[in-house]
Amino acid sequence: MAFLDWALHPTELWAAFWYVMRHAPPDEKTNKLQVSGDMRRCYDFLEMTSRSFAAVIQELNPRLRDGICIFYLVLRGLDTVEDDMTIPGAKKRQILETFHEALYVKGWTFKESGPDEKDAMLLVEFDVVINEFLRLPEDYQEVIADITKRMGAGMAKYTRARVETLDDYNEYCHYVAGLVGHGLSRLFAESRLEDKTVGEKLELANSMGLFLQKTNITRDINEDVLDGRCFWPKAIWTKYAESEEELISKRGRERGIEALNEMCVNALEHIPDVMEYLNQIHEPSVFKFCAIPQAMAIATISLCYNNSNVLDGNVKIRKGEALKLISQSTTIDSVKRIFYRYLVQLEKKNDPSNPFYEQVHKIVDKAKKDIANTLPGGAPVDFSKEFALIALFFVSVCFFFYSYLAN
């Protein structure tokens, strides 16, 4: 199956080849950064907690690289506390609400994570993160501490509150992802690599985070329900099911797909802000850092739409597809073409019998027109069918020669 996937998607195989050629193993990459001591250990943690983010962070301009590495690790530590279901509620809230204060306490660590927390070691050695945080410029420290404080307070709130209304949903996603967009935008501006207005247009930054978070929440419904939690807003899922468990059950499949499609529509509404935000980013490494997750998100939400497999388990885009998106997300025009491509795919899945057909058609049609109107040459040409035919011919020839040689 893996061979067939690569054969049917030759451009992904090419992207994977160049990715391997251009990206060194983790240890070699860290050596090239010329860091040592605690900062080297921080980059080790970056690799351990997120290989995908590690790659783009390590390619950032040196004026931002260490600061964003530390920002990521601080929020990963905070997120590890929030996700740990073994920590009693009152204690968890206290840790979340005061986590920002620990950033200024040398030697602070946390060793009470549950046995199943995969990122527990980061908290066990959190003192190394604190040491490097305190070496950052003061303006970077202020941004990181402020976002950590606000995020921790929001996370603490939702240890008791449920995501009931659409306003709750937007607020929760703001706390856990929109604020990340705020912090990153402020760091970009503080670095002087981007214009100061990037750090001021925080509604656009918030939408960047919400598009990513809503895509993940939509995709992860099966895993979350089985873990005893649900981040889909009650205002949506109660229209289709009596309980969260019924959402993912076989008996309620048709209604579950309708709920899934409404969640996808909610995420797709952020596309105009995403495009506007990316259009204001000019430094190449910062652009790639911002664009790659958004490209992954549009590919994922397109995959999820009207896809019953989402209710059965965690669906993901192909690894080769992800590597191709990484290689292509280099300029605003290339990202617009990526979005256009997946909007076309989504449009093809939009069945007129679907209750959300008109909403999806309206969102997709407007986004496609906006992209086509700003691209040199207009709307991109879809070569996917031609590539599929070439791939099929290639596979046929390979099997012919293999059979011939075997005889």
Side-chain angles (χ1 to χ4, degrees):
M1 181 61 74
F3 169 76
L4 189 59
D5 277 345
W6 288 114
L8 291 174
H9 303 92
T11 56
E12 293 176 13
L13 181 60
W14 184 251
F17 171 77
W18 279 110
Y19 183 87
V20 171
M21 294 296 291
R22 292 179 59 191
H23 291 79
D27 288 345
E28 189 176 327
K29 282 192 290 187
T30 306
N31 287 335
K32 286 184 177 179
L33 295 179
Q34 296 182 333
V35 295
S36 59
D38 287 343
M39 197 64 224
R40 184 182 182 88
R41 184 58 175 158
C42 287
Y43 279 107
D44 288 342
F45 277 123
L46 185 63
E47 290 284 350
M48 286 187 274
T49 55
S50 177
R51 294 295 296 274
S52 55
F53 271 112
V56 287
I57 289 176
Q58 290 179 30
E59 292 180 2
L60 277 168
N61 188 293
R63 283 157 61 179
L64 270 172
R65 189 170 53 219
D66 289 355
I68 288 183
C69 174
I70 298 302
F71 185 37
Y72 176 85
L73 293 178
V74 168
L75 297 188
R76 173 58 68 182
L78 187 70
D79 192 55
T80 301
V81 173
E82 186 209 19
D83 284 344
D84 193 339
M85 303 305 289
T86 69
I87 302 175
K91 183 173 184 179
K92 179 184 286 190
R93 285 188 287 277
Q94 186 269 330
I95 297 169
L96 292 172
E97 290 170 347
T98 60
F99 200 86
H100 65 286
E101 297 173 2
L103 299 179
Y104 295 95
V105 181
K106 283 196 169 188
W108 186 90
T109 60
F110 183 77
K111 301 178 181 179
E112 301 171 49
S113 298
D116 297 327
E117 289 303 314
K118 60 184 179 64
D119 295 328
M121 188 53 63
L122 170 63
L123 291 172
V124 170
E125 296 185 40
F126 203 74
D127 53 327
V128 302
V129 178
I130 292 172
N131 290 342
E132 291 303 324
F133 168 80
L134 294 173
R135 292 190 180 100
L136 293 174
E138 285 190 13
D139 49 2
Y140 282 23
Q141 290 183 35
E142 290 173 8
V143 171
I144 295 171
D146 177 53
I147 297 299
T148 304
K149 178 180 179 179
R150 293 160 64 190
M151 186 179 291
M155 287 178 169
K157 174 181 177 178
Y158 279 94
T159 61
R160 286 181 286 195
R162 287 174 61 86
V163 180
E164 303 267 352
T165 67
L166 291 179
D167 285 342
D168 293 339
Y169 186 43
N170 285 326
E171 182 183 65
Y172 175 76
C173 291
H174 165 73
Y175 282 134
V176 300
L179 284 172
V180 179
H182 282 205
L184 289 171
S185 297
R186 289 166 60 186
L187 289 173
F188 299 157
E190 292 289 354
S191 73
R192 306 294 189 271
L193 292 172
E194 298 294 345
D195 190 82
K196 66 177 182 179
T197 58
V198 172
E200 296 168 352
K201 297 179 180 178
L202 296 182
E203 279 303 311
L204 296 179
N206 189 62
S207 269
M208 290 278 284
L210 264 60
F211 185 51
L212 300 182
Q213 187 66 21
K214 288 181 176 183
T215 297
N216 290 337
I217 286 174
T218 300
R219 180 197 62 193
D220 293 343
I221 181 62
N222 180 275
E223 179 183 339
D224 285 339
V225 170
L226 293 179
D227 284 345
R229 57 189 179 182
C230 180
F231 297 106
W232 284 22
K234 193 173 181 181
I236 288 181
W237 69 257
T238 51
K239 291 190 284 186
Y240 307 96
E242 295 294 326
S243 66
E244 294 99 325
E245 290 75 20
E246 188 181 335
L247 272 175
I248 62 173
S249 69
K250 295 291 185 182
R251 67 180 184 277
R253 186 46 44 98
E254 186 175 334
R255 297 289 281 167
I257 293 173
E258 290 180 9
L260 169 65
N261 289 341
E262 185 168 350
M263 291 293 295
C264 290
V265 168
N266 188 280
L268 288 169
E269 290 172 347
H270 294 285
I271 289 177
D273 281 354
V274 170
M275 291 288 99
E276 187 176 347
Y277 182 93
L278 292 176
N279 205 49
Q280 67 180 344
I281 301 297
H282 301 293
E283 202 281 332
S285 70
V286 174
F287 182 85
K288 284 190 68 175
F289 176 80
C290 295
I292 289 171
Q294 302 298 326
M296 300 288 189
I298 187 60
T300 301
I301 207 69
S302 174
L303 176 64
C304 289
Y305 183 70
N306 216 28
N307 184 354
S308 62
N309 292 331
V310 175
L311 304 176
D312 295 324
N314 194 286
V315 300
K316 292 183 177 181
I317 60 176
R318 297 181 303 275
K319 191 168 186 179
E321 186 176 5
L323 295 176
K324 182 178 177 181
L325 291 172
I326 290 172
S327 69
Q328 290 180 336
S329 301
T330 54
T331 67
I332 186 61
D333 284 351
S334 63
V335 172
K336 285 178 180 178
R337 292 187 180 94
I338 288 169
F339 268 71
Y340 194 96
R341 183 167 75 240
Y342 285 105
L343 288 168
V344 168
Q345 290 184 20
L346 202 153
E347 191 174 43
K348 291 176 181 176
K349 297 169 68 178
N350 194 26
D351 191 326
S353 64
N354 185 334
F356 295 96
Y357 173 81
E358 287 298 334
Q359 284 178 264
V360 172
H361 174 73
K362 184 177 179 180
I363 293 170
V364 170
D365 191 56
K366 183 180 185 307
K368 284 173 57 185
K369 286 179 180 176
D370 289 345
I371 290 171
N373 289 338
T374 57
L375 272 177
V381 179
D382 182 11
F383 291 109
S384 57
K385 291 182 180 178
E386 287 80 358
F387 277 123
L389 290 172
I390 292 170
L392 186 59
F393 173 76
F394 173 74
V395 172
S396 300
V397 171
C398 287
F399 274 113
F400 172 79
F401 277 107
Y402 175 80
S403 300
Y404 177 80
L405 293 173
N407 293 327

